[in-house]
Structures are given as C-alpha cells and as structure tokens.
C-alpha cells in the first residue's frame, strides 16, 4: 500500500528530470505507537531535490501500523527505498 501511495503522490522534481537524474533514495524513520512518522532522515542520497521529495512523501504518508511487543504498540525503526525512475 505504501508504494501505491508513492506512485500516486510523487512529484518528480523538474530540475532532476531535466538532467535525467534517476536513483533510489533510502529513507529511515520511526513509527510511534500513535501511528505517526517521526525522525525522518535520508540514509542513502541521490541528489538534494530527490532526497527532499522522498522525505516529503514519507512525512505525508498515511498512518502506519506500529510494531508490537507482547501486544503493546512500540516505537520502531523502518527504512524504505523511494525509487525515482521514469
């Protein structure tokens, strides 16, 4: 479902598109027990414009289901690739 969201809302930065810049930005973040995304960072960069778009997408993503420990929601770390290809 996350990758469907990415495809729907991704806005490929025009300067990167004009320069034929493609690649995969790895984004790390935490999902809090309240289902919110926090502490979003770029783990693997391509160029700033693509990095910024990947961060924007992760921050605006729909609520996530948090990990659980003994049935209790806990804060957990995730890393996702955001692919920029056209």
């Amino acid at each position: 479902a996350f990758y469907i969201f990415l495809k729907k809302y991704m806005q490929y930065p025009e300067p990167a598109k004009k320069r034929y810049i493609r690649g995969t930005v790895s984004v790390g973040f935490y999902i809090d027990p309240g289902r919110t995304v926090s502490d979003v960072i770029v783990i693997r960069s391509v160029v700033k414009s693509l990095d910024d778009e990947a961060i924007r997408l992760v921050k605006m993503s729909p609520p996530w289901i948090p990990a659980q420990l003994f049935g209790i929601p806990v804060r957990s770390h995730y890393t996702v690739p955001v692919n920029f290809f056209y």
Side-chain angles (χ1 to χ4, degrees):
F2 178 66
Y3 293 101
I4 294 169
F5 167 84
L6 289 181
K7 189 172 183 175
K8 182 175 180 178
Y9 291 101
M10 181 180 289
Q11 297 172 359
Y12 209 114
E14 203 56 43
K17 188 183 269 190
K18 286 181 180 178
R19 292 175 47 209
Y20 303 103
I21 296 173
R22 301 181 297 177
T24 301
V25 177
S26 293
V27 181
F29 56 96
Y30 286 91
I31 302 300
D32 297 321
R35 302 177 61 162
T36 59
V37 173
S38 65
D39 302 327
V40 181
I41 61 165
V42 171
I43 294 173
R44 183 172 150 228
S45 175
V46 176
V47 294
K48 183 165 177 12
S49 62
L50 296 184
D51 297 351
D52 290 346
E53 177 61 6
I55 288 171
R56 184 189 75 83
L57 288 165
V58 169
K59 285 183 175 181
M60 70 177 276
S61 65
W64 289 67
I65 297 171
Q68 293 190 3
L69 182 63
F70 304 112
I72 299 169
V74 294
R75 186 173 200 244
S76 54
H77 186 266
Y78 291 87
T79 301
V80 294
V82 179
N83 299 309
F84 290 91
F85 296 99
Y86 53 90

